[in-house]
Amino acid sequence: MNKALAEIIAGVIPHKMTRNRWRGLLRYGVFKAMKLKWRMKHDNTSPQYYLAVCAIAKNEGPYFQEWIEWHRKQGVEKFYIYDNESTDCTKEVLAPYIESGVVEYTYFPGQKKQLAAYDDCFERHRLETRWLAIIDLDEFIVPIKDRSIPEFLHRMEKFPVVEINWLVYGSSGAKTREPGGVMERFRKHSLPEHRLNTHVKSIVDPRRVCGMIGCHEAARLSGKAADSHGMPIKKHFGDRKPQQDVIRINHYAIKSYEEFLSKRARGRARTKSLRGMEYFNSYDLNDIEE
């Protein structure tokens, strides 16, 4: 369905979570979603992986190795990487991972391609993995009470979607990019209850969702989404208290001031507008040092 028409129809639904779900279903196509639901119910293909990650990136080459190695240690087996016209060292950094089969690389040019990349990933890889995490290169999934992300997910298998809250990390006062990994260099984060930490990212069962609504929520074919405590979600993430005690996503949105300026110059994944300096100021939260 035309995106504008989907917005108009979904816009009359008063409940925010229901409205967003229908926004995603209408965008995908209701009859197409019904066919997909029937097909997935009758398809017994065993997934090759238990947990994979899908991400779209542009000129994030220097950050890929740390991000991939961290998530491999946490139990991710496969990475579906969409390269949105990178001109840096991205392909060179990813080369050994591509060769080994850990990364499936797709060159994905154009503007505002984030949702299109997610759509492509679902359509191509829906049957390959039991769980699919939809995250960015500045986000690191951190299990707190479990030894790995799969150990956490084993408790969530009745749900089609698990939503995990951010914990936003600031610049730690760094003006320039210094040697070392992101997680090593930025150790100061926001207060856990800060409003930005109400944002979530989703780990989904790709057989039970048709795609993403935006970069945060998934459009479920059936069932209810869960929070990180394993409770069915009844309120939109913006109206819930953040949870970071079981699992969280460390969100390094700005890094140093120099790195933020580079990020700003790359543009945004979903819009043509550049981030303003107010973005840096709002995310430069350094309240607690680890």
Side-chain angles (χ1 to χ4, degrees):
M1 178 180 288
N2 179 275
K3 182 179 178 181
L5 185 57
E7 289 292 327
I8 292 171
I9 296 173
V12 303
I13 301 173
H15 186 251
K16 190 182 296 184
M17 282 184 61
T18 306
R19 179 170 68 246
N20 281 354
R21 183 188 178 197
W22 274 100
R23 180 178 287 120
L25 289 171
L26 289 167
R27 177 178 166 273
Y28 184 78
V30 175
F31 292 110
K32 186 179 175 184
M34 291 172 63
K35 288 174 62 177
L36 176 63
K37 183 178 178 180
W38 186 91
R39 181 164 67 90
M40 291 299 98
K41 185 177 180 180
H42 295 87
D43 194 308
N44 297 316
T45 304
S46 296
Q48 185 177 356
Y49 312 108
Y50 187 74
L51 175 60
V53 164
C54 174
I56 182 170
K58 182 173 184 175
N59 291 340
E60 299 270 13
Y63 304 106
F64 260 112
Q65 184 175 9
E66 178 189 12
W67 182 81
I68 289 174
E69 292 301 333
W70 169 265
H71 285 103
R72 290 182 75 185
K73 290 177 182 176
Q74 309 310 317
V76 175
E77 300 165 84
K78 186 76 172 183
F79 298 84
Y80 302 113
I81 302 300
Y82 288 77
D83 181 356
N84 187 216
E85 300 182 336
S86 294
T87 56
D88 66 352
C89 59
T90 289
K91 194 69 180 290
E92 289 74 19
V93 173
L94 290 179
Y97 296 110
I98 297 169
E99 185 177 349
S100 67
V102 171
V103 165
E104 180 159 328
Y105 172 90
T106 302
Y107 186 69
F108 211 69
Q111 293 185 320
K112 300 196 297 183
K113 300 296 284 186
Q114 186 173 32
L115 290 183
Y118 297 158
D119 290 343
D120 184 80
C121 189
F122 278 106
E123 293 308 309
R124 291 172 58 193
H125 306 298
R126 192 181 298 280
L127 299 177
E128 292 179 10
T129 184
R130 175 62 179 80
W131 291 101
L132 183 65
I134 311 296
I135 59 174
D136 296 325
L137 266 289
D138 58 4
E139 296 171 328
F140 290 70
I141 305 174
V142 181
I144 304 300
K145 295 216 172 157
D146 296 283
R147 291 170 295 180
S148 67
I149 305 168
E151 187 174 287
F152 163 79
L153 289 171
H154 282 306
R155 301 196 299 275
M156 304 291 172
E157 293 197 344
K158 69 179 181 180
F159 297 104
V161 180
V162 182
E163 294 184 358
I164 302 173
N165 284 104
W166 279 351
L167 185 63
V168 171
Y169 282 69
S171 70
S172 293
K175 300 299 182 185
T176 61
R177 181 177 179 181
E178 302 294 336
V182 170
M183 300 184 84
E184 173 190 355
R185 290 187 290 134
F186 303 104
R187 305 301 297 268
K188 295 181 179 180
H189 60 71
S190 56
L191 296 171
E193 65 272 16
H194 191 279
R195 60 178 179 79
L196 283 175
N197 293 327
T198 63
H199 285 80
V200 298
K201 284 301 181 77
S202 294
I203 304 180
V204 310
D205 176 352
R207 293 171 181 257
R208 290 188 282 172
V209 303
C210 57
M212 297 301 292
I213 299 164
C215 60
H216 301 286
E217 298 170 283
R220 293 166 282 113
L221 292 170
S222 62
K224 294 183 177 181
D227 62 23
S228 63
H229 289 176
M231 300 300 295
I233 292 171
K234 298 179 180 179
K235 295 180 180 180
H236 183 262
F237 63 79
D239 301 319
R240 305 196 306 263
K241 182 179 178 181
Q243 300 172 343
Q244 295 116 350
D245 57 326
V246 176
I247 193 169
R248 72 189 194 213
I249 292 181
N250 287 10
H251 185 32
Y252 302 92
I254 56 172
K255 305 180 182 73
S256 68
Y257 183 71
E258 178 184 34
E259 288 166 285
F260 166 73
L261 293 180
S262 296
K263 176 176 181 174
R264 182 176 185 272
R266 289 196 298 268
R268 309 185 76 161
R270 294 185 62 199
T271 68
K272 294 182 180 180
S273 62
L274 295 179
R275 294 175 175 87
M277 291 310 303
E278 68 278 0
Y279 183 94
F280 180 89
N281 295 330
S282 65
Y283 279 82
D284 192 18
L285 303 169
N286 305 285
D287 301 288
I288 299 174
E289 183 170 5
E290 292 182 342

